[in-house]
Amino acid sequence: MTRNADASKPRAAVRHGRLRKSNPFVTVAKIVAATAAVVGVSGIAVAGVAALDLANSVKPVAHLDNETPGAPPPNIGAIEGGVNLLLVGSDSGDGNQAYGERDENLNDVTILMHISADHSSATVVSFPRDMYVQIGDCADGGNGRDKMNTALMYGGADGGLACAVSTVEGITGLSIPFAAQIGFDGVISMSNAVGGVPVCVTEPLNDAWSGINLDVGTHDLSGASALAFLRSRHGVGDGSDLSRISNQQVFLSSLVRTLKSSDTLSDPIKLYSIARAALKNVTLSSSLNNIDTMVSIAAALKDIPLDRVAFVQTPTATVEGGVEATSDADVLWTALQSDQAVALSATGKYVVTDPNAPVTPDPATTDAAADPAATADPAAPADPSAAGPVALPDTITGQNAAQNTCTAGRPEEDQ
C-alpha cells in the first residue's frame, strides 16, 4: 500500500463498519485460563491427552522479528523472568456474514500485557484505536504516522500481527516476543468456556449497534451478550472509544476475579475447556505455539495479588481526526521499562465503584501494593520490586483487578 509522501500527515480516515468489535477480555482470559490449567492438571491423568488435543487445536500463524527460533519450551511451571505479550482484536469478522460485509482488517483492540520479572505484578495497557502513532516498518507500507488500528492492515496477509508488535515496540520501548490475535467468534467461544462474567451497570445500557440491552444491576454475561457488551461504544459513557475501553476494563477486572476464584481454579474440567477454547480460537505467534509456553506464562500470573494486576489506558489528547498520546505516557513507559508495578489514582470517567461489592481484601495483597503513593527508598537495593509501585498521574486512568466497578450506560436519546 502506498503511503502519503509526507509521512507527518495522517492518512485519510479509515472506514469503520457499523458493527464494532472489542475483545481484549478474550486473550486475557486465555492467559489466566492457562494459569488455571497449571493448577488443575498437576495430579490429573487426563493432562497428557488434553495437551495433545490442545496442540492439535492451535491456530499458529505469525512470526515476530524478535523471536528465538528453535528455543526449547520451558518446563511446565512459571516462565522465568518477565513477559511482554501483545493481544490484538481484529474487526474483520473472519468472513462470518452475521457481522455484515466487512472489507477491512483493523486492530480495533490493542492491549499490551507486561508481567514483571519477579512475577509480583502485571500491567495491562490499552491503546485507543484512533490514536495517531508511528506505524512500524511493515510488509505493506507502514513506517509513517497513522492510527493505531491500521497496523494489522499494513502488515499484509501474513504479517499483520508482527506489524502491530513492531508499532507498539516503537511506542513503549519494550521488546515484545509474544503476540496473539482474536476475532468476534473467538470472543463468544472464550466467554462460553469461562462460564460467564458478572458485570454491573448503574444506568441502563442499550446499544442497537452492538445488540446489547441491560437493565440496572448485575448481569452474568457469556457468549453473544459478552461480545455485545465488549463491543458497545454507542451505549456507554460518552459514546467514544475511550469510554468503551473503560467499559472493557470493568469486564476484564471481573474476569480476572472470576478466574482466580477458588471455584474456578479447582475445577479442572472448566480449566481445560478454557484452555482448549483459547487455542482453537486465538491466532498465536509461533513463539506461543506451544502448550508448555502458554501454561508457563499463565503460571506467572497465578499468585499475583489482585491489586497488582493493573488495567491502564494510554493517556491521550484530542487532535484533528483522532487522539494522540500525551507526555504523561512517558511515566508509564518508563515504569514498564524499569519493570516496576504501577498504582492508579483515577478510574475511567464513566466507571463507578460497585456499591454492592464485597469489601474483603485480597489476602495476597502486600502493604506496599496497597499504598498507591509508595515511593522508593534512596538507599534501597536496585531490585525494581523493592521500590514499590510507581504512582501514575491522574491523567492516566484505569483500575486494578481488586476494584469492583460498574459501567454507566448512555441514554438512547444521546446516541
Side-chain angles (χ1 to χ4, degrees), residues 88-91 105-110 127 129 147-153 164:
V88 301
S90 166
D91 74 345
N105 183 26
L106 306 174
N107 47 301
D108 267 6
V109 174
T110 304
F127 298 86
R129 72 170 196 207
K147 290 186 176 180
M148 169 63 75
N149 68 344
T150 62
L152 279 182
M153 177 180 70

Side-chain angles (χ1 to χ4, degrees), residues 244-280:
R244 177 169 61 176
I245 288 176
S246 295
N247 187 54
Q248 293 167 352
Q249 291 174 339
V250 169
F251 188 102
L252 284 167
S253 294
S254 180
L255 173 66
V256 171
R257 292 191 298 273
T258 299
L259 290 175
K260 282 177 71 80
S261 70
S262 58
D263 178 60
T264 301
L265 294 179
S266 62
D267 187 341
I269 295 177
K270 177 181 285 190
L271 299 180
Y272 167 69
S273 177
I274 293 172
R276 187 175 190 278
L279 288 170
K280 290 187 68 174

Side-chain angles (χ1 to χ4, degrees), residues 24 54 66 122 159 185 216 218 222 225 230 264 267 291 308 322 342:
L54 290 174
N66 56 3
D185 288 337
V216 172
T218 300
S222 62
S225 62
L230 288 166
T264 301
D267 187 341
I291 300 301
R308 283 291 188 102
V342 299

